């Protein structure tokens, strides 16, 4: 059977990775989104079980202690985590899984699933553009925006653990790059070799 792939997309908030991830999921319905658990309250329009599983701090802590997370991290004062079972289940079935997670989570997944993770880092075209995008996103309180901005510069330094860089100057362009990376890695020989084996087995050339 085909080996599943972990597609990890990270960037500081406001670089546009969520939009890029949504488009990839729309175009490739077999790609599964890893719905994270978070203690952050939902933003307008966010749905439980679709964007995140929204849980309280106690429930999150229980999951940490029970070892249910493949990774978890504190980001901007809230906790976020990836359920181990959901990821392993998808991989066993040979599905590709997409992760919209921060660099801390990205590094942990890379360490655990070495060889099966492709790491994509999304850069804003400039720090100024990043600031404008965060301010335009009126879903966060002003103090939250300020905090995220201050951390963005520091977060940007973590690109070095990633395999691919995308500069999100224009969404079409950036999406084209993300799509190309995904398609290329999906068809890597070590993941797709079962197709050749199947074809040769049946003599169906
Ligand atoms: P937001 O609150 O804007 O949805 O997400 C804040 C940050 O947390 C983003 O960088 C997002 O990618 C990251 N994040 C979301 N889910 C997870 C997760 O399960 N684990 C980790 N480590 N980061 C996550």
């Amino acid at each position: 059977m085909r080996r599943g792939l972990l597609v990890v997309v990270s960037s500081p908030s406001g670089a546009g990775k969520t939009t890029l991830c949504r488009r990839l999921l729309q175009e490739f319905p077999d790609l599964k989104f890893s719905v994270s658990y978070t203690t952050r309250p939902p933003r307008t329009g966010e749905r439980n079980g679709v964007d995140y599983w929204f849980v309280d701090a106690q429930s999150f802590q229980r999951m940490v202690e029970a070892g249910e997370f493949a990774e978890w991290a504190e980001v901007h004062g809230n906790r976020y985590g990836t359920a181990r079972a959901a990821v392993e289940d998808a991989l066993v079935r040979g599905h590709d899984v997409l992760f919209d997670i921060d660099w801390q989570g990205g590094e942990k997944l890379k360490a655990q699933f070495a060889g099966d993770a492709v790491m994509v880092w999304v850069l804003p075209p400039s720090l100024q553009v990043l600031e404008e995008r965060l301010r335009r996103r009126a879903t966060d309180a002003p103090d939250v925006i300020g905090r995220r901005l201050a951390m963005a510069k520091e977060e940007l330094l973590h690109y070095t653990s990633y395999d691919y860089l995308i500069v999100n100057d224009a969404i079409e362009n950036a999406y084209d790059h993300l799509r190309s990376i995904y398609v290329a890695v999906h068809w890597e020989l070590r993941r797709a070799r079962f197709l050749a084996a199947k074809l040769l087995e049946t003599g169906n050339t």
Side-chain angles (χ1 to χ4, degrees):
M1 204 172 83
R2 187 178 176 277
R3 289 174 75 93
L5 171 72
L6 285 81
V7 184
V8 178
V9 181
S10 304
S11 73
S13 323
K17 74 175 172 308
T18 304
T19 310
L20 290 169
C21 287
R22 285 205 186 119
R23 285 200 52 178
L24 198 67
L25 292 164
Q26 262 167 19
E27 183 174 348
F28 298 96
D30 288 343
L31 177 64
K32 308 285 172 216
F33 180 61
S34 166
V35 180
S36 296
Y37 285 76
T38 184
T39 59
R40 161 168 86 59
R43 297 194 184 113
T44 315
E46 283 184 331
R47 285 171 300 163
N48 195 37
V50 176
D51 301 287
Y52 283 106
W53 294 106
F54 295 99
V55 294
D56 58 28
Q58 287 87 341
S59 312
F60 195 99
Q61 183 58 26
R62 266 199 302 276
M63 289 182 74
V64 170
E65 283 164 17
E68 289 179 31
F69 289 123
E71 66 77 28
W72 69 270
E74 191 167 317
V75 188
H76 311 302
N78 293 300
R79 285 168 147 199
Y80 297 81
T82 302
R84 184 186 301 283
V87 179
E88 285 174 356
D89 218 49
L91 290 180
V92 163
R93 291 163 199 258
H95 291 151
D96 294 344
V97 187
L98 178 69
F99 300 82
D100 172 342
I101 61 176
D102 88 323
W103 63 271
Q104 304 173 79
E107 287 184 353
K108 287 181 204 150
L109 288 189
K110 189 178 176 181
Q112 283 174 62
F113 298 93
D116 285 325
V118 59
M119 313 282 292
V120 182
W121 187 256
V122 181
L123 280 173
S126 68
L127 290 177
Q128 201 187 340
V129 169
L130 183 72
E131 178 166 358
E132 282 162 16
R133 285 183 189 162
L134 283 179
R135 292 202 186 286
R136 239 184 291 136
R137 190 162 78 185
T139 47
D140 285 326
D143 64 319
V144 175
I145 295 170
R147 214 172 335 132
R148 287 186 179 217
L149 246 174
M151 287 189 71
K153 264 192 189 164
E154 204 178 302
E155 285 180 50
L156 280 167
L157 300 173
H158 293 279
Y159 68 90
T160 48
S161 354
Y162 283 68
D163 304 314
Y164 292 91
L165 270 186
I166 293 178
V167 178
N168 191 8
D169 47 0
I171 195 79
E172 285 309 321
N173 203 22
Y175 179 67
D176 195 38
H177 292 177
L178 176 61
R179 185 185 190 286
S180 305
I181 294 163
Y182 173 57
V183 172
V185 181
H186 177 89
W187 289 104
E188 261 185 315
L189 180 63
R190 66 209 168 100
R191 252 176 288 277
R193 71 169 3 118
F194 80 101
L195 283 174
K198 213 156 88 180
L199 180 131
L200 293 171
E201 219 172 72
T202 57
N204 186 13
T205 49

